[in-house]
Amino acid sequence: GKSIEGMMCLCTMEDITEEDKNYVEYQSYPSMKWKPALFEASIIDMMLSQQFHDYVEKVKKTDCQAALRRLLVAGPPVYIFDKNALSLAENTDKYVCKLWYARKPEEEVSAKLIGALEGKEREKLWKELEQFIIIDGKEEDDKDANERSKERAV
């Protein structure tokens, strides 16, 4: 692939060029079309190594139930994603499947996140993470107003 003249990383604002070897292209499934990534290679590398782990930590640490529900809708991520730098064709493509780096032009690499789980292992993790949702707006050991007033009456 060829980088576009004047391309700049949306994250670092660094120039993206083949000469600097920081240009990356991504392939999305199922169209299998290649597009230029709008992040430089170092950001793509960081995302591959951190996105899955960051997701799990966000689920475990968020104190906002609405945010938690939004995180859990799609479940644990498997492939690298960013709606701006790695945009998918609307209503057709599902995920980024491969990456190509100008620094290693002879190979394409998987876009699977480091540590990401698939199949039954992913389903198991998803169920475990869903345990962080508080049902009906209260935690297990929270008591509703009726329970508290009954206890006071005793």
Side-chain angles (χ1 to χ4, degrees):
K2 292 274 180 218
S3 61
I4 300 163
E5 184 71 32
M7 236 177 120
M8 195 182 324
C9 177
L10 293 178
C11 185
T12 65
M13 304 312 246
E14 292 290 326
D15 289 338
I16 297 176
T17 67
E18 285 180 74
E19 298 80 48
D20 291 340
K21 304 232 182 283
N22 64 350
Y23 176 66
V24 180
E25 288 185 358
Y26 65 100
Q27 184 181 45
S28 50
Y29 178 85
S31 75
M32 305 311 274
K33 289 183 181 166
W34 289 91
K35 297 185 214 168
L38 301 180
F39 285 155
E40 64 173 297
S42 65
I43 301 300
I44 297 291
D45 292 340
M46 184 184 69
M47 291 169 65
L48 277 173
S49 67
Q50 294 180 354
Q51 259 184 344
F52 175 76
H53 301 290
D54 288 352
Y55 170 88
V56 172
E57 286 306 305
K58 275 186 207 167
V59 168
K60 290 179 177 178
K61 291 183 177 171
T62 187
D63 57 0
C64 175
Q65 288 293 300
L68 179 60
R69 285 185 173 88
R70 281 191 298 275
L71 284 168
L72 289 170
V73 166
V78 177
Y79 297 97
I80 193 170
F81 61 93
D82 185 274
K83 67 181 181 185
N84 298 308
L86 304 169
S87 64
L88 299 174
E90 212 171 300
N91 300 324
T92 56
D93 283 336
K94 306 282 185 239
Y95 58 89
V96 174
C97 58
K98 288 204 172 154
L99 299 166
W100 175 87
Y101 291 83
R103 67 182 180 219
K104 283 193 172 180
E106 67 284 350
E107 71 179 76
E108 296 170 2
V109 297
S110 170
K112 185 176 176 186
L113 298 170
I114 294 168
L117 304 173
E118 293 183 87
K120 287 182 178 161
E121 288 178 325
R122 180 175 180 265
E123 292 296 321
K124 182 180 176 210
L125 174 64
W126 199 347
K127 285 195 183 340
E128 288 171 13
L129 295 175
E130 285 176 337
Q131 302 308 307
F132 288 91
I133 292 179
I134 298 171
I135 308 298
D136 296 331
K138 62 179 181 178
E139 294 192 36
E140 259 181 55
D141 52 350
D142 282 355
K143 295 178 180 171
D144 65 23
N146 284 341
E147 289 171 313
R148 282 194 299 273
S149 62
K150 285 178 193 170
E151 285 177 358
R152 274 189 231 119
V154 174

